[in-house]
Amino acid sequence: MDVVVFDLETTGLSPEKDAVVEIGAVRIVNGRVDESLRYETLVKPTNAAGDVIRIPWYTERIHGISDEMVQHAPTIGEVLPEFLEFVNGSAVVAHNIGFDGGFMRANAARLGLAWNPAAEFCTVQLSRRAFPKERAHNLTVLAERLGLNFAPGGRHRSFGDVQVTAQAYVRLMELLQDAVK
C-alpha cells in the first residue's frame, strides 16, 4: 500500500492550545521510500484566532526552530490545504500518530477542512507488536533497534524524523509479515 509518512514539530503538546511550526512528509510507493515525493515546510505558529504566537524556549531547545526561522514562513492556514493535497486521501503513518494526527484534526477543523486519510498507522504501535518484550519504543530507540541512522541535525526536525520513520515503517511491516508466515 502507498502511504504518506509525516511528522510535525510544534510549540507544545496540546492540539487545542499549541501550534505547528514544521511539517515534513515523504511518500512510500510500492514498499519503497521515495524521497523525490516529499513535502517540507516551516510554519509560522498561530493560535485559533490567527494571532502569531511565540515558540517557547523549552520546545526550541528540542527541535531548534526559533521565532526568527518561522518569521516569514506561511501559516497553517496556507500550508494545510497544500499538505492535504499532498496526502490526497492516502493512508498516513507517523511515530505516535495520536499526537501528529491530533494536531492535523484540530487544525483542519479550525480551518473548515477535512482530515480524512484512508487509514492511520503508528510506528510506536507497530514497534510494540514487533518487539513485545521491549519497554522503550521512542523513535531514537526504534532507529537503533532497526540499525537506522538520522541525518546529521535530523533528529527532532520534521524531515529528519520522517526519513527514519519511513524506513522504520517499511522494516516493521516486513518483520510483522515474516512473523505471520
Side-chain angles (χ1 to χ4, degrees), residues 90-159:
S90 296
V92 294
V93 176
H95 195 77
N96 190 2
I97 192 71
F99 178 83
D100 297 277
F103 269 87
M104 290 310 231
R105 275 186 288 287
N107 281 289
R110 262 187 235 120
L111 295 167
L113 301 170
W115 172 250
N116 56 357
E120 293 184 351
F121 298 102
C122 180
T123 51
V124 173
Q125 295 303 320
L126 293 172
S127 177
R128 287 182 177 142
R129 276 197 207 149
F131 305 105
K133 294 179 180 170
E134 300 294 337
R135 297 184 76 193
H137 298 278
N138 67 60
L139 190 55
T140 301
V141 169
L142 180 59
E144 289 172 9
R145 194 172 288 142
L146 295 173
L148 304 173
N149 296 304
F150 291 91
R155 183 67 176 115
H156 293 298
R157 288 300 302 267
S158 288
F159 199 74

Side-chain angles (χ1 to χ4, degrees), residues 22-50:
E22 187 176 40
I23 301 174
V26 68
R27 196 169 275 284
I28 296 176
V29 179
N30 298 322
R32 291 179 173 257
V33 179
D34 185 346
E35 288 196 17
S36 72
L37 301 173
R38 67 194 279 170
Y39 184 90
E40 183 177 18
T41 187
L42 288 169
V43 181
K44 185 185 300 183
T46 54
N47 61 20

